[in-house]
Amino acid sequence: MKIQTVAVHAGERKKPARQIPVSTPIHTGASFVAESMNELDRIFGDEEKGYAYSRFASPTNEALEEQVTALEGGHGALACASGMAALQIGLLAALMDRRKSVVSAQAIYGATVKLLMEVLEPFGIAVRFVDANDLAAVEAVIREERPGCVLLETISNPLLRVTPVDRIAAVAREAGAAVLVDNTFATPLLLRPLELGAQISVHSATKYLAGHGDVLGGIVITDKAHFETLRKLSRIYGPVLGPFECYLTLRGVKTFPLRMERQCRNAATLAEWLGRHPKVEKVYYPGDAAHPDAEHVKRLLPEGLYGGMVSFEVGGAAKQDIFDFMDRLKLIVRGTSLGDVHTLMLHPWISSHRDVSPRHKERMGIRENLVRMSVGIEAAEDIIADLEQALQ
Ligand SMILES: Cc1ncc(COP(=O)(O)O)c(C=O)c1O
């Protein structure tokens, strides 16, 4: 064989050794070679489990999907290129065989509002928003609308309301609607939506699951009934996560419970400290005894684990005052994400909820003087010292 031929074939496509690596490697192959054409035929025909093309399935993705499926108590999962991609395919899977109508919690992530109103609605999917913490209103809207899907977040962004997922799921079940829950903020350490009656759980894996601020990814976990539809949709339009990001997420998830426990503990310490600070007007934290959803918190979240997020309003602060406060931060990172090992702060008014109309922002209760903090795993006293000097 000529050198050009040897260069592209030598050493490749060897059968793996009997000894397997202790952790899943990054499999980058776009396509896979079967033993025979008959075997490939069976794999393409879904008669045999195996790999043919990485838009359909691939080993690194599968390892992550199995890992998160186990954490969430689901039947199967699909790792996606972002949380938004995961939400979109999750919604399509929910609506596939149902009425093309979504009833959504109104206090949800800004881009999710846009996904509903600027992408799905123009394609003919009806969208109605409701206050998910007003159970009577939720019941009335579901009964009237008979939606195909009810969309919720477990802990809302950025005001940290705790959704009665179990109670809404019971209402949705009677109406024949699928329940899709964005579980990014609560994570499976705090709450597992499928065990509370939801059929689909979605994460921005960018956040707590990957946890280090170096991955953009999402994951959809479903029950048995929705899994085939999810995989079928994915095979066609291919929102899948790349193998490098799958590997990083798989690795991140191994320490996620440890990180999350620490983040919850730090958040409790910070919420308590902020509550006593004279410059702080209001603290939003699910662990507060006076939290408006204290009853759901007690029923749904484990004792002492109330999430790693704390939001607060700085008394009398206008937008520029918040900019100045955040510019003074030395340790806390001004970053548009959450769930990382380091503490992050965000100004929802100009970032996560920037494109939400002022009317909708007002309805959601998002004011100019509100900041949202994602508490990291640092020593709590160092985070407090940074807040102290910045809140001058
Ligand atoms: C609750 C929630 N859901 C979904 C997303 C979207 O995730 P991604 O940025 O990975 O697309 C975010 C992003 O901040 C989020 O906070």
Side-chain angles (χ1 to χ4, degrees):
M1 261 187 275
K2 295 277 193 292
I3 186 168
Q4 294 83 351
T5 312
V6 172
V8 293
H9 287 284
E12 282 286 23
R13 295 177 287 281
K14 289 210 305 221
K15 272 263 173 224
R18 242 166 36 81
Q19 300 77 27
I20 54 169
V22 292
S23 59
T24 306
I26 305 167
H27 293 270
T28 56
S31 58
F32 297 81
V33 190
E35 278 290 331
S36 66
M37 286 308 293
N38 271 330
E39 185 184 275
L40 185 64
D41 187 33
R42 290 193 300 274
I43 292 169
F44 270 127
D46 250 348
E47 294 151 33
E48 183 175 320
K49 213 175 143 20
Y51 307 111
Y53 188 54
S54 58
R55 198 176 75 236
F56 304 165
S58 69
T60 318
N61 293 50
E62 240 175 43
L64 170 65
E65 287 160 355
E66 273 183 34
Q67 182 194 39
V68 179
T69 298
L71 292 181
E72 286 266 335
H75 174 77
L78 174 75
C80 297
S82 69
M84 293 314 299
L87 270 164
Q88 187 181 348
I89 196 165
L91 280 165
L92 295 185
L95 292 173
M96 190 74 172
D97 302 317
R98 292 191 178 86
R99 220 170 97 69
K100 305 297 178 263
S101 155
V102 178
V103 165
S104 170
Q106 68 192 20
I108 53 168
Y109 175 53
T112 311
V113 174
K114 289 179 79 177
L115 171 68
L116 293 170
M117 298 180 75
E118 295 178 26
V119 180
L120 299 186
E121 210 169 43
F123 278 95
I125 294 168
V127 178
R128 273 184 72 175
F129 291 97
V130 65
D131 177 353
N133 292 90
D134 179 345
L135 208 53
V138 173
E139 276 184 48
V141 172
I142 291 178
R143 223 172 280 130
E144 191 184 309
E145 185 67 32
R146 312 293 298 178
C149 177
V150 174
L151 169 64
L152 307 170
E153 288 185 6
T154 40
I155 300 180
S156 76
N157 176 23
L159 297 179
L160 313 180
R161 295 295 302 262
V162 175
T163 307
V165 175
D166 52 347
R167 302 212 165 134
I168 298 176
V171 178
R173 189 179 316 119
E174 271 180 33
V179 176
L180 183 152
V181 178
D182 181 332
N183 197 25
T184 301
F185 275 46
T187 80
L189 185 71
L190 273 61
L191 193 148
R192 308 198 317 165
L194 272 64
E195 290 176 358
L196 299 177
Q199 288 74 41
I200 302 176
S201 178
V202 169
H203 284 267
S204 166
T206 316
K207 311 298 185 322
Y208 290 102
L209 296 184
H212 294 74
D214 51 9
V215 177
L216 186 77
I219 193 151
V220 193
I221 308 98
T222 76
D223 63 2
K224 194 162 188 282
H226 292 83
F227 189 59
E228 276 314 305
T229 307
L230 179 75
R231 295 307 307 197
K232 190 180 96 179
L233 287 171
S234 168
R235 281 170 78 113
I236 297 167
Y237 91 93
V240 296
L241 189 60
F244 287 104
E245 288 80 4
C246 278
Y247 168 79
L248 284 173
T249 310
L250 181 69
R251 185 182 159 105
V253 168
K254 290 171 185 168
T255 56
F256 135 73
L258 292 174
R259 286 185 277 107
M260 189 64 183
E261 278 170 24
R262 167 95 183 186
Q263 282 161 310
C264 288
R265 245 187 296 133
N266 275 352
T269 305
L270 284 161
E272 204 262 323
W273 182 84
L274 285 163
R276 286 188 279 107
H277 197 285
K279 288 265 170 72
V280 174
E281 188 179 319
K282 187 164 180 184
V283 178
Y284 298 85
Y285 174 62
D288 270 348
H291 191 276
D293 309 316
E295 183 206 333
H296 309 318
V297 171
K298 196 157 187 294
R299 190 178 70 256
L300 299 176
L301 305 187
E303 173 91 44
L305 296 176
Y306 307 119
M309 305 295 295
V310 183
S311 297
F312 59 95
E313 288 169 1
V314 182
K319 192 165 92 178
Q320 189 56 50
D321 300 319
I322 295 294
F323 284 11
D324 294 343
F325 157 61
M326 289 182 66
D327 281 341
R328 284 193 291 272
L329 295 168
K330 294 190 173 108
L331 176 82
I332 298 171
V333 181
R334 294 180 294 271
T336 309
S337 194
L338 64 114
D340 290 345
V341 284
H342 44 263
T343 301
L344 285 152
M345 192 180 284
L346 165 149
H347 186 202
W349 188 270
I350 62 130
S351 51
S352 60
H353 290 68
R354 185 184 189 96
D355 297 331
V356 177
S357 73
R359 216 182 91 233
H360 200 92
K361 272 204 276 258
E362 197 174 305
R363 255 206 333 252
M364 293 165 95
I366 293 161
R367 298 167 60 194
E368 260 181 278
N369 66 345
L370 176 80
V371 293
R372 188 197 79 184
M373 191 162 59
S374 163
V375 181
I377 62 169
E378 305 98 330
E381 54 264 45
D382 291 329
I383 310 169
I384 287 174
D386 196 29
L387 286 170
E388 178 86 87
Q389 64 79 25
L391 274 170
Q392 53 183 254

